[in-house]
Amino acid sequence: MALSNNVIGAINFVAMLLSIPIIGAGIWLANQPDNSCVKILQWPVIVLGVLILVVALAGFIGGFWRIPWLLIAYLVGMLILIILLACLVVFVYMVTMRGSGHLEPSRAYLEYHLEDFSGWLQRRVRSSFKWERIKICLSSTDICTQLNQTYTMAIDFFNSHLTPIESGCCKPPTECGYTFVNPTNWISPIDNIADPDCIQWSNDQTQLCYNCNSCKAGLLANIKQEWRKADIILLITLIALICVYLVGCCAFRNAKTEDIFRKYKQGYT
């Protein structure tokens, strides 16, 4: 019994360690400029990681100090959290399946269209109330101003691999035919009706294309990339947690069997 309980305690210590990459993924998302403005995924991930840490700690204490009800609470709680984590992994994968950039002639960077993304993600940015808050947050960052320090020549800018949010928010759509002055200053559009975003462009450094659908699309493309990276971490951690949980269940069952056998021997003698 003591050996099995020690094994359970050791297994739960491993489960405690596995909560670290989950919490770390949430903190990493929270520190990304775009995700910090949208605030969708990071807090559920962090909260789930903390809950896994707490439940694993309960199992660790129950295993080493032989507290059966705490072990049972651990088994039930961890099963629920594993199911929640699995649902989160699947959800993130499903909402990030759609949405990719489009090539434009003589450009290395891609253009992004809002309708390419999943309906759930679109609803996060379509509301004027939600977007106003996000827009103010984005315009307060140095995402666009850094481009002016990096690119001074049009040819260098056109051959650059911009991030989706830089492509969508910091410049007008390519099909509008604006003339490059610097990365955030464009003049003389050739076709102002080629795209509704053409008339939304402003050389005002606090406005730029933050009112454009291309900016919303670029934001979602950035989020998609970061969520996919976080989802890989969550998936690997989920698989490890399932393995640890199954080993813990086996150890708990063996501990109960040993306890019953010990009581039977004591009664027999």
Side-chain angles (χ1 to χ4, degrees):
M1 178 68 175
L3 179 59
S4 293
N5 280 329
N6 289 338
V7 170
I8 293 172
I11 289 169
N12 284 294
F13 179 73
V14 175
M16 289 168 57
L17 295 179
L18 288 174
S19 70
I20 295 175
I22 300 176
I23 297 172
I27 293 173
W28 177 74
L29 286 173
N31 287 325
Q32 301 305 304
D34 49 354
N35 270 284
S36 65
C37 290
V38 179
K39 298 177 181 176
I40 301 175
L41 187 64
Q42 55 265 50
W43 286 113
V45 172
I46 292 173
V47 169
L48 192 56
V50 171
L51 289 175
I52 290 173
L53 175 62
V54 171
V55 171
L57 179 60
F60 177 78
I61 295 172
F64 272 112
W65 277 270
R66 304 180 189 180
I67 308 173
W69 68 266
L70 205 53
L71 286 175
I72 293 172
Y74 154 76
L75 292 173
V76 174
M78 187 59 74
L79 178 61
I80 293 172
L81 292 175
I82 286 174
I83 293 172
L84 289 175
L85 181 58
C87 291
L88 182 62
V89 168
V90 173
F91 171 77
V92 171
Y93 175 76
M94 294 300 293
V95 300
T96 57
M97 284 182 65
R98 293 175 50 195
S100 58
H102 300 268
L103 289 170
E104 292 289 339
S106 304
R107 300 290 188 271
Y109 50 75
L110 303 176
E111 299 280 350
Y112 298 87
H113 301 150
L114 184 59
E115 60 272 13
D116 292 340
F117 294 88
S118 69
W120 188 88
L121 280 178
Q122 288 185 47
R123 288 191 292 274
R124 306 283 76 78
V125 297
R126 279 199 182 275
S127 164
S128 57
F129 172 75
K130 290 179 180 178
W131 182 249
E132 187 64 26
R133 176 181 59 80
I134 295 170
K135 182 181 73 174
I136 292 172
C137 178
L138 288 176
S139 63
S140 67
T141 67
D142 60 353
I143 292 173
C144 293
T145 55
Q146 285 183 340
L147 295 177
N148 291 330
Q149 301 170 9
T150 306
Y151 306 104
T152 55
M153 302 293 293
I155 188 64
D156 294 332
F157 183 76
F158 295 153
N159 289 327
S160 64
H161 295 278
L162 303 179
T163 65
I165 201 166
E166 289 172 343
S167 175
C169 302
C170 304
K171 63 168 191 59
T174 300
E175 59 186 337
C176 301
Y178 277 86
T179 300
F180 177 94
V181 177
N182 66 44
T184 60
N185 192 344
W186 301 70
I187 60 173
S188 307
I190 295 173
D191 189 357
N192 227 359
I193 60 172
D195 188 304
D197 287 345
C198 296
I199 59 174
Q200 295 291 343
W201 170 258
S202 171
N203 284 321
D204 182 343
Q205 297 300 294
T206 62
Q207 296 297 321
L208 299 179
C209 219
Y210 291 123
N211 288 316
C212 303
N213 281 334
S214 63
C215 184
K216 297 176 182 179
L219 173 66
L220 294 185
N222 248 48
I223 286 174
K224 174 188 171 180
Q225 292 176 358
E226 291 163 3
W227 284 18
R228 278 294 180 90
K229 292 176 183 177
D231 205 36
I232 292 172
I233 296 173
L234 296 181
L235 177 60
I236 294 171
T237 307
L238 172 63
I239 294 171
L241 272 175
I242 291 173
C243 294
V244 167
Y245 182 78
L246 292 176
V247 173
C249 287
C250 291
F252 182 75
R253 184 184 62 185
N254 290 338
K256 295 296 290 183
T257 302
E258 290 174 10
D259 191 43
I260 292 171
F261 185 67
R262 179 178 54 80
K263 290 178 180 179
Y264 171 78
K265 285 180 65 178
Q266 289 175 347
Y268 181 77
T269 55

